Amino acid sequence: MSAPVFSTLGCRLNAYETEAMRELAAAAGIGGAVVVNTCAVTAEAVRKAKQEIRRLAREHPGVPVIVTGCAAQTEPGTFAAMPEVTRVVGNAEKMQPGTWRALSAPDLIGQTEKIMVDDIMSVTETAGHLIDGFGRHRAYVQAQNGCDHRCTFCIIPYGRGNSRSVPAGVVVEQIRRLVDRGFQEVVLTGVDLTSWGADLPGSPRLGDLVMRILRLVPDLARLRISSIDSIEADENLMRAIATEPRLMPHLHLSLQHGDDLILKRMKRRHLRDDAIRFCEEARRLRPDIVFGADIIAGFPTETEAMFENALRLVEECGLTFLHVFPFSPRRGTPAARMPQVAKALIRERAARLRAAGQAALQRHLDAQIGRTHRILTEGPRLGRTEQFAEVAFAADQPEGRIVAAVVRGVAGGRLLA
């Protein structure tokens, strides 16, 4: 019996959970199935999920199609109505061994109940299933799931539930296992990572977790943290940025915009000056640090002046890696009921933001020429610097090692070494 075919859409946390599902499905003896792990961050993401389901169903005729992930959680009826879909599984259910044992039943296709989705808001713990990492040389560890905030544009809390933290001891133990297996770099992931610990005894903070990992796993060469909310950065996190060379000098910030009124309409917890101050302080503590950021173009009511404030944030925060989201209304969110910006204008503003981001990245890459970087090799001729810039090597390198190399040029958005 052939192994299930898995398809992942969306974030790194989804990718992590796909690997966990792969192990759960194997333990349950599932074979000959298609599993699509969906994203719901935008309306476009849901459209792509449907497209992917139809494509895989055509490529694997007669095979059960199981749909899970955030879009399945928030719109189970939408996917259950698709003739290609056999089962719709919720985000909590997909991480439970019992779900996969039930899905392994030989009469799966003939059963009439298609939806296995419960109330995600009733989930109070993260799933305890651990994986031994995915990717060949960089591993991802889920430290947190869900979100307690209710930004007006975001559907994700309804797909992921409220914030839940993985206890520090569990995170540390998994990282030890990954290091023992040869991983040089570990990335902490979560939906709202800076909320880690609020639901644990003593209410520790993300900085406490980072310091504990670095202290208790001395053989871990590199630790990264994924997207954070800069307004929630705690004292220990800033101390780690300043004093811990094994914490990589690259932070991806959930900024979303650069205009104060738009930020208030988004129900964000920071203003533009907060973002600028954070970047200035982090750069003072760690001069080589670089920042990525999420920015939404064309949020409802956005005027040209408001957009210009977002555009200027690229330079004022010194952003290097920009992730631009053209706004698309998500049914059920307050932003969907606000006065909308014309789609053509949204596309035009998103293009201007991306151009600013490309220019900022090019400046950063050009500044690296002649410098020596420590690079984690991801393939014979590919790797990443500590600042997460991609590097192409002129000659084969040993994979999964950290090598020192001088940057001799830039081409195609990559450093050349």
Side-chain angles (χ1 to χ4, degrees), residues 9 34 43 73 114 127 132 193 216 228 248 261 268 322 330 337 340 351 355 368 375 403 405 408:
L9 303 167
V34 167
Q73 181 70 45
K114 292 181 74 169
D132 286 331
L193 198 54
L216 296 179
I228 67 166
M248 294 296 93
L261 185 54
R268 299 296 294 166
L322 211 60
R330 297 295 286 113
R337 300 190 296 272
Q340 304 293 305
Q368 308 313 307
I375 301 158
V403 301
R408 57 180 179 82

Side-chain angles (χ1 to χ4, degrees), residues 145-298:
N145 203 340
C147 185
D148 290 338
H149 307 298
R150 297 295 182 264
C151 297
T152 58
F153 57 85
C154 188
I155 199 75
I156 296 306
Y158 304 99
R160 289 284 178 180
N162 291 318
S163 181
R164 293 101 64 199
S165 306
V166 178
V170 175
V171 175
V172 168
E173 180 55 32
Q174 186 175 10
I175 292 175
R176 280 201 186 107
R177 289 169 54 200
L178 293 166
V179 171
D180 288 344
R181 290 192 59 221
F183 284 94
Q184 297 282 329
E185 182 173 302
V186 167
V187 185
L188 292 181
T189 67
V191 174
D192 181 26
L193 198 54
T194 32
S195 71
W196 180 88
D199 56 325
L200 296 176
S203 300
R205 303 293 300 276
L206 179 61
D208 302 322
L209 177 63
V210 167
M211 298 291 269
R212 184 168 178 176
I213 291 167
L214 293 170
R215 184 178 73 253
L216 296 179
V217 195
D219 292 335
L220 174 63
R222 291 162 53 146
L223 177 67
R224 290 191 189 275
I225 51 179
S226 61
S227 181
I228 67 166
D229 204 335
S230 58
I231 199 68
E232 294 183 341
D234 61 277
E235 184 178 339
N236 263 350
L237 182 57
M238 302 308 288
R239 182 178 294 116
I241 289 169
T243 64
E244 293 286 356
R246 291 186 295 145
L247 178 62
M248 294 296 93
H250 167 254
L251 292 175
H252 191 83
L253 309 177
S254 179
L255 298 182
Q256 308 306 344
H257 213 274
D259 181 82
D260 285 348
L261 185 54
I262 292 292
L263 287 166
K264 289 177 180 177
R265 288 172 177 164
M266 289 178 164
K267 285 190 70 175
R268 299 296 294 166
R269 294 168 300 289
H270 71 274
L271 299 175
R272 68 175 287 115
D273 284 349
D274 297 320
I276 294 167
R277 273 195 302 271
F278 173 83
C279 292
E280 288 174 346
E281 176 63 7
R283 198 172 280 113
R284 183 187 70 79
L285 296 172
R286 184 85 175 261
D288 62 336
I289 199 166
V290 298
F291 304 104
D294 296 330
I295 304 284
I296 294 175

Side-chain angles (χ1 to χ4, degrees), residues 75-85 88 114-115:
E75 302 182 33
T78 297
F79 294 97
M82 295 180 67
E84 297 87 354
V85 174
V88 181
K114 292 181 74 169
I115 297 175

Side-chain angles (χ1 to χ4, degrees), residues 47-75:
R47 187 191 69 79
K48 287 183 177 178
K50 296 176 183 175
Q51 188 178 53
E52 179 73 349
I53 291 163
R54 294 187 183 107
R55 181 186 71 81
L56 288 169
R58 286 196 303 272
E59 292 179 2
H60 303 273
V63 172
V65 176
I66 300 164
V67 179
T68 186
C70 288
Q73 181 70 45
T74 57
E75 302 182 33

Side-chain angles (χ1 to χ4, degrees), residues 295-350:
I295 304 284
I296 294 175
F299 186 82
T301 76
E302 181 188 77
T303 64
E304 181 62 25
M306 291 169 174
F307 171 74
E308 289 289 343
N309 282 336
L311 196 60
R312 284 201 305 275
L313 202 65
V314 178
E315 184 174 341
E316 291 174 359
C317 281
L319 304 178
T320 299
F321 303 97
L322 211 60
H323 193 178
V324 177
F325 289 87
F327 177 81
S328 65
R330 297 295 286 113
R331 188 175 58 193
T333 62
R337 300 190 296 272
M338 297 179 185
Q340 304 293 305
V341 176
K343 289 184 178 179
L345 192 52
I346 292 174
R347 288 194 295 270
E348 186 262 335
R349 288 174 178 172

Side-chain angles (χ1 to χ4, degrees), residues 374-398:
R374 285 170 51 79
I375 301 158
L376 174 65
T377 57
E378 300 175 346
R381 298 203 176 195
L382 196 65
R384 295 266 183 182
T385 68
E386 292 185 333
Q387 297 164 320
F388 211 60
E390 202 169 27
V391 181
F393 293 101
D396 286 355
Q397 304 294 320

Side-chain angles (χ1 to χ4, degrees), residues 132-144:
D132 286 331
F134 67 96
R136 295 174 63 185
H137 312 300
R138 176 180 296 107
Y140 296 82
V141 172
Q142 180 184 358
Q144 183 273 341

